[in-house]
Amino acid sequence: MKKIALLMDGWKRYLTFAWPAGILQRIHETDEKVALYIFSSSGNWSRDEKYNEGEYNIFRLPDLSEFDGIILDLTNIQISSVIEEVVKRAKDSGVPVISLGKELDDFYYVGIDNRRAMAGMVEHLVDVHKCRTFWFVMGPKDNYENIRRVEGIREYLDSQGISWEESDFFYESYEFQCGINGFRHFMERGEKLPDAIVCANDNIAVGVCEEAARAGYHAPGDFFITGFDNFDKAAFYTPQITTVSHVREEAGYRCAQLLLQIWKGEELPRFHYTDVEYKFWESCGCNNGHHHEDRDYLKGQIIYQIETDIFMEDILSLEYELLKCSTFPQMINCVLKCLPSMKCDAMYLVMDPRMNDFKKRTENSEIWMTEEENYCIHGYPERMVLEFSYENPEVSEGLELHLAQRENSEVNTIFPVFDCQEPGANILFLPLHFRQWTVGYLVIRDSVYLMERQYLHHMLGALTKAMENLHRHEKLEWMNEQLSNLYVRDTLTGMYNRMGYRKFAGTLFEDRKRANNLLILFIDLDRLKFINDNLGHDMGDLAIRAVADAIKSSLDEEGIPVRLGGDEFLVICEEPSGQEIENMIREIRHKVEHSGNQVGLYELSISAGYVITDKESPKKLEDYVNEADAIMYEEKKAKKAART
């Protein structure tokens, strides 16, 4: 099975569905076994640069050398460092690379000839309509397609000896508002209307017409106007907008065809231009007698709106249901139940296992790690976890069982986990991140319907927001628990401190003394002052932790270990048998000595004393602790005497 990687960035929040649609069309026509893997971002949607950074990390997920061909759609990416990194990785892969719509050195190019197409539009205005003065309302100044269209305009005007100034060009975006702002900009300069206003696309052209109408001007009576791309707005607006038509799916189709030829060893030119067709309509004074069937168009729009309304109702239900989820797999399960119209074959959730690291940290560690320390920004961790996998959506019952069989599987790379065996299959990879911090990715198999309907942004937005809220809630609960622990825990050892001793030991004593006898074991670390004075307090801390670790590892879950302060430790637990007590103390001594030897604290030792409570006795807990302390002190005193 040959594998094609398509790396693409949507315009704002919209997926460029035409590319995968064209690629898949050609794949389905061939007998060759080819699968399409789509890595999609929406990195120019948010004004938060950190969010955009998190979106683009999806491009770092695949090892591009594992593919047989690579198709890059980098036209809409506005961060040069992202483009440079993707281009380098593609070059280093050693496989054929095709760039869609953006000429990149060393790669094949597929797309329209923007420069020549726009020059042809201006040529029509000059030759047919005798235009000599122009305003140009263009897209983003640093956008590749826009740059090429501007170059086409200038080159043609220069070739005809028609003068132009830099001030004749207004740059902003490809949106409707750009047309409004552009027309206002030129009018505020106090200039008279030009012969023609040339726009970078149809959205802009409609915006210009609307703003001009508010000022009392109309095309084509007061000026000619042209667009580009042949959106619905061009054909169904009044007047019909003169535009440049190109079938965007054709570019994807040609990419797939080009790879098929390369795999066969054919020698091919670098540039492959798709066809364009000029639509000279009413806005430039032309009337070709062509009229679109409004009824069919309106019918399509009505059906689309009905489906969209249903979907948005589902999204509202989804957002509500997600609030009730307590795990990430439950959230994906909720997505599937709330959105039955998704029409995809399978869905997978792959997460960074460090999402729950804060729950697993030891009690004597820091309270929390910041996201900067915890999550990836560049690339993904070597080991990830398949938190959720769901296949065959027609199965609705027994879903939880199905999930349980597949969750918590380790994922080290996208292959072989997401290796397709069916020709013409497509798998979409979408980034999951909290701002710039990557937490995982969502995988959807057969995502054609979702891409075409542009539902993914809404669904992914609701899911990511809910995941982040759940994560913050879980983390806040854990942090509150840790803060509570600080009140009763010794930070060096993780044992209870004196406050914890008063809070828990007294309760255990009162609860158990009438039913069972308790062991009260008092332990003192020998020669701690000598260690601190001669070897330093760091070594003293190591000695204290060695004793604490030995005690905790020798104690069952019901026991209460306490560091009373300095070198003194206390253990309260259910009474073992006599021999078990001696064995436990011997085990603690051995572990302390062994730990000391490992860090260079040779002959590290403890002194110990214990008593057994009597359930018939009126003694208080403090009385027993004092008795055990006294017994311990006798051992300690004997050791001192032996050293002198």
Side-chain angles (χ1 to χ4, degrees):
M1 177 73 69
K2 292 191 179 299
K3 299 187 284 289
I4 298 175
L6 169 60
L7 279 63
M8 66 182 204
D9 187 48
W11 177 246
K12 301 297 182 182
R13 61 186 182 274
Y14 298 111
L15 264 166
T16 309
F17 171 67
W19 308 147
I23 295 168
L24 291 170
Q25 180 184 348
R26 184 65 187 98
I27 290 174
H28 291 146
E29 291 175 357
T30 181
D31 293 331
E32 293 208 34
K33 296 180 179 179
V34 183
L36 177 63
Y37 294 78
I38 307 165
F39 302 88
S40 179
S41 67
S42 296
N44 53 35
W45 174 70
S46 175
R47 295 183 180 178
D48 181 355
E49 293 182 1
K50 296 297 185 182
Y51 174 91
N52 296 338
E53 188 177 351
E55 279 288 303
Y56 287 133
N57 203 37
I58 194 68
F59 295 155
R60 302 185 180 105
L61 176 64
D63 178 352
L64 296 179
S65 65
E66 295 182 330
F67 293 86
D68 301 284
I70 301 167
I71 301 172
L72 303 178
D73 169 25
L74 309 181
T75 304
N76 294 321
I77 297 177
Q78 300 171 355
I79 304 175
S80 59
S81 60
V82 173
I83 296 175
E84 291 168 3
E85 181 183 348
V86 173
V87 168
K88 183 180 185 306
R89 292 181 59 240
K91 286 182 178 179
D92 293 344
S93 70
V95 303
V97 183
I98 302 171
S99 178
L100 256 169
K102 184 180 181 72
E103 296 177 20
L104 296 170
D105 292 341
D106 303 322
F107 296 159
Y108 293 99
Y109 170 84
V110 172
I112 67 169
D113 188 337
N114 283 281
R115 184 163 44 192
R116 182 176 297 177
M118 185 58 91
M121 179 63 75
V122 180
E123 180 182 9
H124 173 79
L125 292 171
V126 171
D127 287 354
V128 176
H129 299 288
K130 310 306 177 185
C131 296
R132 289 297 182 270
T133 59
F134 299 89
W135 288 348
F136 303 100
V137 185
M138 309 307 291
K141 194 168 187 177
D142 57 354
N143 176 268
Y144 173 82
E145 289 184 324
N146 191 72
I147 291 171
R148 287 291 182 261
R149 293 173 189 181
V150 170
E151 288 175 351
I153 292 170
R154 292 176 173 178
E155 289 174 3
Y156 177 76
L157 293 178
D158 288 341
S159 71
Q160 300 300 307
I162 300 175
S163 63
W164 57 270
E165 302 290 338
E166 183 60 43
S167 58
D168 296 332
F169 291 83
F170 174 85
Y171 301 95
E172 189 176 271
S173 71
Y174 284 126
E175 305 301 328
F176 171 84
Q177 188 64 39
C178 173
I180 293 176
N181 296 340
F183 189 83
R184 288 176 180 172
H185 165 78
F186 288 117
M187 292 299 291
E188 287 170 358
R189 297 195 314 184
E191 299 180 8
K192 68 176 184 178
L193 288 172
D195 295 333
I197 301 176
V198 177
C199 301
N201 74 355
D202 301 332
N203 290 335
I204 297 172
V206 171
V208 168
C209 289
E210 288 294 302
E211 185 61 21
R214 279 191 280 270
Y217 303 107
H218 301 276
D222 297 304
F223 58 87
F224 298 136
I225 187 166
T226 63
F228 206 104
D229 290 328
N230 194 24
F231 297 148
D232 287 346
K233 296 180 182 68
F236 291 94
Y237 188 72
T238 301
Q240 284 181 311
I241 303 294
T242 289
T243 188
V244 178
S245 176
H246 55 103
V247 181
R248 299 171 72 84
E249 286 80 0
E250 183 185 350
Y253 187 96
R254 293 282 290 274
C255 284
Q257 176 61 34
L258 186 56
L259 286 175
L260 290 171
Q261 292 175 279
I262 293 171
W263 292 336
K264 292 178 181 178
E266 297 182 23
E267 292 291 332
L268 299 166
R270 181 182 165 203
F271 293 97
H272 298 261
Y273 294 115
T274 56
D275 297 331
V276 300
E277 180 183 357
Y278 294 100
K279 303 289 186 179
F280 299 126
W281 285 336
E282 297 167 350
S283 70
C284 72
C286 292
N287 187 355
N288 60 10
H290 176 76
H291 297 282
H292 284 274
E293 180 51 63
D294 292 348
R295 285 179 177 270
D296 290 342
Y297 175 76
L298 289 174
K299 177 182 177 181
Q301 290 297 301
I302 291 169
I303 297 302
Y304 179 82
Q305 189 60 52
I306 290 172
E307 291 180 350
T308 300
D309 289 344
I310 293 172
F311 182 83
M312 294 311 296
E313 285 294 324
D314 286 342
I315 286 291
L316 290 175
S317 299
L318 173 63
E319 291 175 341
Y320 173 73
E321 293 299 326
L322 285 172
L323 292 174
K324 299 187 288 186
C325 295
S326 58
T327 68
F328 298 134
Q330 284 179 6
M331 287 182 173
I332 302 294
N333 185 18
C334 184
V335 169
L336 292 169
K337 288 182 177 179
C338 289
L339 301 176
S341 58
M342 289 179 63
K343 301 180 182 179
C344 59
D345 286 347
M347 185 178 290
Y348 310 88
L349 176 66
V350 182
M351 300 296 294
D352 186 332
R354 290 173 293 186
M355 276 285 285
N356 294 317
D357 266 4
F358 63 89
K359 298 177 182 177
K360 303 172 184 176
R361 309 201 71 192
T362 57
E363 293 174 342
N364 63 343
S365 63
E366 299 174 8
I367 295 180
W368 62 82
M369 293 185 293
T370 64
E371 277 82 355
E372 291 90 338
E373 296 170 324
N374 199 18
Y375 302 132
C376 290
I377 297 176
H378 298 281
Y380 290 76
E382 291 184 3
R383 186 180 71 87
M384 300 191 75
V385 176
L386 183 60
E387 290 278 1
F388 174 97
S389 69
Y390 180 58
E391 300 168 347
N392 300 321
E394 66 272 10
V395 179
S396 58
E397 297 181 0
L399 183 57
E400 296 298 334
L401 175 62
H402 182 73
L403 299 180
Q405 293 171 348
R406 293 294 301 275
E407 63 184 13
N408 295 326
S409 300
E410 190 168 303
V411 177
N412 297 316
T413 178
I414 63 173
F415 300 119
V417 179
F418 303 114
D419 208 348
C420 290
Q421 299 303 318
E422 180 183 351
N426 67 90
I427 293 190
L428 175 66
F429 294 81
L430 297 168
L432 293 172
H433 56 99
F434 304 155
R435 293 194 72 203
Q436 74 268 38
W437 300 300
T438 294
V439 297
Y441 55 91
L442 188 67
V443 185
I444 303 174
R445 194 173 70 202
D446 189 15
S447 56
V448 170
Y449 180 81
L450 286 172
M451 287 191 290
E452 183 180 14
R453 295 294 177 172
Q454 302 294 342
Y455 290 162
L456 282 167
H457 177 77
H458 301 285
M459 182 199 73
L460 203 62
L463 176 61
T464 303
K465 182 178 179 181
M467 289 176 63
E468 186 170 8
N469 288 339
L470 174 61
H471 179 63
R472 287 178 174 174
H473 177 72
E474 288 181 337
K475 193 169 184 178
L476 182 60
E477 285 188 343
W478 179 83
M479 288 165 59
N480 287 334
E481 182 181 343
Q482 293 300 101
L483 289 171
S484 297
N485 282 337
L486 284 179
Y487 177 66
V488 297
R489 295 278 185 180
D490 172 51
T491 56
L492 179 62
T493 65
M495 298 175 116
Y496 289 112
N497 55 21
R498 283 187 175 273
M499 187 65 69
Y501 163 71
R502 287 193 287 268
K503 182 175 182 180
F504 297 110
T507 301
L508 177 66
F509 179 77
E510 294 298 328
D511 289 345
R512 304 291 178 85
K513 70 176 184 178
R514 299 186 185 279
N516 300 294
N517 295 330
L518 299 174
L519 167 66
I520 311 295
L521 172 61
F522 203 103
I523 294 175
D524 190 275
L525 170 61
D526 295 334
R527 307 179 72 195
L528 177 60
K529 185 177 186 304
F530 174 85
I531 295 172
N532 284 333
D533 291 346
N534 293 276
L535 300 178
H537 285 274
D538 287 343
M539 294 301 285
D541 288 347
L542 286 175
I544 291 170
R545 280 201 290 264
V547 176
D549 291 343
I551 292 172
K552 290 190 291 185
S553 64
S554 303
L555 195 62
D556 61 32
E557 295 181 357
E558 298 297 323
I560 296 181
V562 181
R563 182 186 176 202
L564 291 172
D567 53 5
E568 297 180 339
F569 301 85
L570 181 68
V571 173
I572 303 173
C573 62
E574 296 281 356
E575 177 194 7
S577 66
Q579 187 59 43
E580 287 178 350
I581 295 174
E582 295 298 333
N583 289 342
M584 182 174 72
I585 296 174
R586 190 179 302 110
E587 180 183 355
I588 293 173
R589 292 184 196 276
H590 173 74
K591 289 179 178 178
V592 169
E593 182 180 355
H594 177 71
S595 296
N597 291 337
Q598 287 186 319
V599 297
L601 292 171
Y602 303 107
E603 298 182 356
L604 189 65
S605 63
I606 61 170
S607 298
Y610 71 89
V611 295
I612 302 299
T613 64
D614 182 356
K615 58 187 177 183
E616 303 298 332
S617 172
K619 291 180 182 178
K620 297 181 179 179
L621 176 59
E622 288 76 8
D623 298 327
Y624 289 112
V625 171
N626 290 335
E627 289 180 18
D629 183 17
I631 297 171
M632 178 279 300
Y633 184 71
E634 291 299 321
E635 179 183 335
K636 197 172 193 71
K637 187 165 62 172
K639 288 181 179 179
K640 286 183 180 179
R643 286 196 294 268
T644 58

